[in-house]
Amino acid sequence: MSGHIAPVRQPLITGHKTYHQITEDICRPTETAPSLSWVVTFIISVICLGLFAFSVAWTIWIGIGSWNLNRTINWGWDITNFVWWVGIGHAGTLISAILLLFRQKWRTGVNRAAEAMTIFAVMCAGQFPLIHMGRLWLAIFIFPYPNTRGPLWVNFNSPLLWDVFAISTYFTVSLLFWYAGLVPDLATVRDRAVGLRKKIYSVVSFGWNGSAKHWQRWESLSLILAGLATPLVLSVHTIVSFDFATSVIPGWHTTIFPPYFVAGAIFSGFAMVLTLMLIARKVLHLEDYITIEHIESMNKVILLTGSIVGVAYLTELFIAWYSGYIYEQFAFLNRVLGPYYWSYIGMMLCNVVSPQIFWSRRLRTSLFWTFFMSIFINIGMWFERFVIIATTLARDYLPSSWSYYVPTWVEICIFIGTIGLFFTLFLIFTRVAPVVAIAEIKSILKTAGDQYIGPNALAHAHAGTPHTPHPVKGGTAPAHGKTTRPEVNDIPAGGTVDIDGEDDKPLD
């Protein structure tokens, strides 16, 4: 029998769903023909991806001189976009790992798409350091491997090398976490498929059969990977911040960068998750599984991290003034009043001022304002990275070397191309795998379904008395005490299915 559920809790699953209906709803996008909106978006994404390939080929053929970098500003859009993409990839691991360890049920509606977003964003981020090398075929030298050409080793004192280890580890753990969570759902799709699709899903589901031993090992693996991924959430963007904080350049050499970068990464990552999930929620008809409660919870995290970022901005200004160091003071004065003042104003408006609207519950639960703010925040976070990099480098110690940076069409096209790469991969993902974790949604149905809690809960749900199951799409519900022939994995995590509203009886 289910434990007591506080009556103030809002449901995370609406529509009075049964276990079979959950499977039907979430598997439908992988089994039906794509909609016109999906096809149009995919074509646009592939065109942008083609633009990326052309721009990279142009850069390799012509050289880095095709970018507008100069002696003063040797980091431009490339590193700005690198840090921006790494930041976007942070929310997936946070939702998957930390919220799993804290047993937050609202993560189950958005964790699958957030994990996929993490992997695709890190793939986009990794393009920029490689392209910036100029000679891609020399990328092997960033790895510390022994060679036969003498004692040639990488510089272990460089935070750029730490980036290689941190991001590659982060990508590997995130990929394992994402795929391990997919295995039960891929097996569900396998059991519903026929022909070639069934063979493909049989291979990628690794013979999953839903036995108690499989579930036990799956849950153990999830907890182990969550434990490994949790410190990565803090370490990866901390190490990215060391690219700047370990230098002696005014405006960069500060100890506030690591926590400031981590908070900003979670801030921008959650905003991107909201952008993707609001679109997927509408296009894939997942309103019953990605509810207003999910959206409000994520907006609360955005409000918190946005406030932390705002405090970090003000702390930087205070320390620059309090230090009495004229070069540090000039660096921040230049950000506010210099030639790039527009980016600083945009950063403050998007990242500090605008998220404060989420103190209002009405705006926090508004789909329009949530979608608008999710895009607005990511624009602001891009401005933040541009402010840190371009404005700081444009005015150094020698006025004779001051310059103004404007990206060329090649740099702009590479950035647009990575957006195309990201959305191409994400759109393919929505067609081949369930966007919402079926097994995890089923595991919380009896404690988060609207037939058990919330204002529309059925009277018997809290009393624990038997109830008549709701009709199942495509047929009739089983009578009390009897089951129809269930599909493999058409059951909640743990290997049981609710039959009579009282007990969880194991399947035969």
Side-chain angles (χ1 to χ4, degrees):
M1 184 180 295
S2 300
H4 175 72
I5 305 298
V8 297
R9 292 287 185 186
Q10 293 297 316
L12 297 174
I13 306 170
T14 60
H16 287 16
K17 299 296 183 182
T18 64
Y19 292 127
H20 181 69
Q21 286 175 317
I22 292 173
T23 303
E24 289 287 332
D25 293 344
I26 299 178
C27 287
R28 187 179 297 112
T30 67
E31 298 170 342
T32 57
S35 63
L36 179 62
S37 57
W38 186 94
V39 173
V40 172
T41 308
F42 185 74
I43 291 173
I44 295 173
S45 300
V46 171
I47 292 173
C48 293
L49 180 58
L51 188 64
F52 171 76
F54 174 78
S55 302
V56 171
W58 183 278
T59 300
I60 295 173
W61 183 261
I62 303 297
I64 295 297
S66 61
W67 297 0
N68 206 19
L69 303 178
N70 51 55
R71 182 179 60 183
T72 304
I73 304 177
N74 50 9
W75 278 4
W77 267 40
D78 50 333
I79 302 300
T80 299
N81 298 328
F82 164 72
V83 180
W84 187 73
W85 277 118
V86 172
I88 285 176
H90 253 57
T93 304
L94 176 74
I95 292 173
S96 300
I98 295 180
L99 297 185
L100 173 64
L101 295 177
F102 282 96
R103 303 298 183 184
Q104 295 297 304
K105 295 178 181 177
W106 63 266
R107 63 175 282 280
T108 56
V110 297
N111 66 322
R112 174 69 51 74
E115 292 164 14
M117 183 198 75
T118 292
I119 296 166
F120 304 149
V122 172
M123 291 172 65
C124 293
Q127 307 300 313
F128 289 98
L130 292 175
I131 300 169
H132 195 205
M133 294 180 69
R135 298 176 175 86
L136 297 181
W137 49 91
L138 298 182
I140 56 174
F141 288 107
I142 64 177
F143 296 101
Y145 69 99
N147 57 81
T148 58
R149 290 167 289 180
L152 182 62
W153 290 88
V154 292
N155 181 12
F156 287 98
N157 294 323
S158 172
L160 296 177
L161 177 63
W162 309 343
D163 277 343
V164 175
F165 290 105
I167 293 175
S168 60
T169 304
Y170 182 64
F171 176 80
T172 303
V173 173
S174 298
L175 183 64
L176 290 173
F177 204 176
W178 175 67
Y179 196 84
L182 268 174
V183 169
D185 293 353
L186 293 175
T188 299
V189 179
R190 172 201 65 196
D191 295 326
R192 298 166 56 89
V194 294
L196 180 61
R197 288 184 74 249
K198 188 176 185 71
K199 294 180 180 179
I200 294 174
Y201 282 104
S202 295
V203 173
V204 297
S205 60
F206 292 115
W208 179 276
N209 61 17
S211 66
K213 180 174 288 188
H214 279 191
W215 281 114
Q216 181 185 22
R217 290 175 175 173
W218 180 81
E219 291 176 356
S220 298
L221 177 63
S222 297
L223 289 174
I224 291 171
L225 290 175
L228 291 173
T230 298
L232 287 176
V233 174
L234 303 177
S235 67
V236 171
H237 226 57
T238 296
I239 290 176
V240 171
S241 75
F242 288 166
D243 294 346
F244 309 96
T246 56
S247 70
V248 296
I249 298 176
W252 287 3
H253 189 66
T254 173
T255 54
I256 200 175
F257 264 32
Y260 158 33
F261 268 53
V262 170
I266 296 171
F267 183 52
S268 62
F270 266 78
M272 182 60 82
V273 171
L274 278 172
T275 303
L276 295 175
M277 294 313 297
L278 287 174
I279 296 174
R281 178 179 187 267
K282 183 67 175 178
V283 174
L284 303 179
H285 307 293
L286 298 173
E287 290 88 350
D288 290 332
Y289 308 100
I290 305 171
T291 65
I292 298 298
E293 184 68 14
H294 291 95
I295 294 168
E296 183 180 9
S297 297
M298 296 183 71
N299 282 335
K300 289 177 181 178
V301 176
I302 286 178
L303 176 60
L304 172 64
T305 52
S307 300
I308 294 173
V309 169
V311 170
Y313 292 163
L314 298 178
T315 302
E316 281 187 313
L317 293 173
F318 172 77
I319 294 300
W321 167 79
Y322 188 74
S323 67
Y325 185 49
I326 59 172
Y327 296 105
E328 190 81 11
Q329 292 173 347
F330 175 79
F332 284 91
L333 188 65
N334 178 59
R335 289 183 182 181
V336 180
L337 302 176
Y340 294 104
Y341 72 92
W342 47 269
S343 59
Y344 188 83
I345 293 174
M347 176 189 77
M348 297 298 286
L349 287 176
C350 295
N351 299 343
V352 180
V353 178
S354 62
Q356 304 308 315
I357 70 170
F358 287 143
W359 286 106
S360 167
R361 188 177 187 277
R362 185 175 63 85
L363 297 178
R364 209 165 53 230
T365 56
S366 168
L367 297 180
F368 170 79
W369 283 106
T370 298
F371 185 73
F372 174 78
M373 287 303 304
S374 67
I375 297 175
F376 203 58
I377 287 168
N378 266 312
I379 293 174
M381 290 307 294
W382 188 92
F383 275 137
E384 179 206 284
R385 279 63 181 252
F386 184 80
V387 166
I388 291 173
I389 295 166
T391 62
T392 304
L393 293 175
R395 299 287 187 269
D396 58 10
Y397 293 100
L398 296 176
S400 61
S401 66
W402 289 2
S403 64
Y404 187 81
Y405 170 76
V406 178
T408 63
W409 66 268
V410 180
E411 294 169 276
I412 295 172
C413 288
I414 289 176
F415 176 54
I416 294 174
T418 55
I419 296 176
L421 172 63
F422 177 83
F423 279 100
T424 299
L425 293 173
F426 190 83
L427 288 169
I428 293 174
F429 158 71
T430 63
R431 298 301 309 171
V432 300
V435 177
V436 176
I438 302 173
E440 297 190 41
I441 286 290
K442 290 179 179 178
S443 71
I444 66 168
L445 177 62
K446 295 183 71 174
T447 57
D450 63 347
Q451 67 266 49
Y452 296 99
I453 64 172
N456 297 320
L458 302 178
H460 62 261
H462 297 297
T465 57
H467 66 279
T468 302
H470 294 277
V472 179
K473 293 181 180 178
T476 57
H480 173 68
K482 298 180 181 180
T483 62
T484 57
R485 182 182 176 185
E487 298 171 322
V488 177
N489 282 350
D490 199 17
I491 56 176
T496 60
V497 61
D498 179 48
I499 298 173
D500 59 3
E502 289 187 356
D503 303 312
D504 284 335
K505 299 180 179 180
L507 290 171
D508 293 332

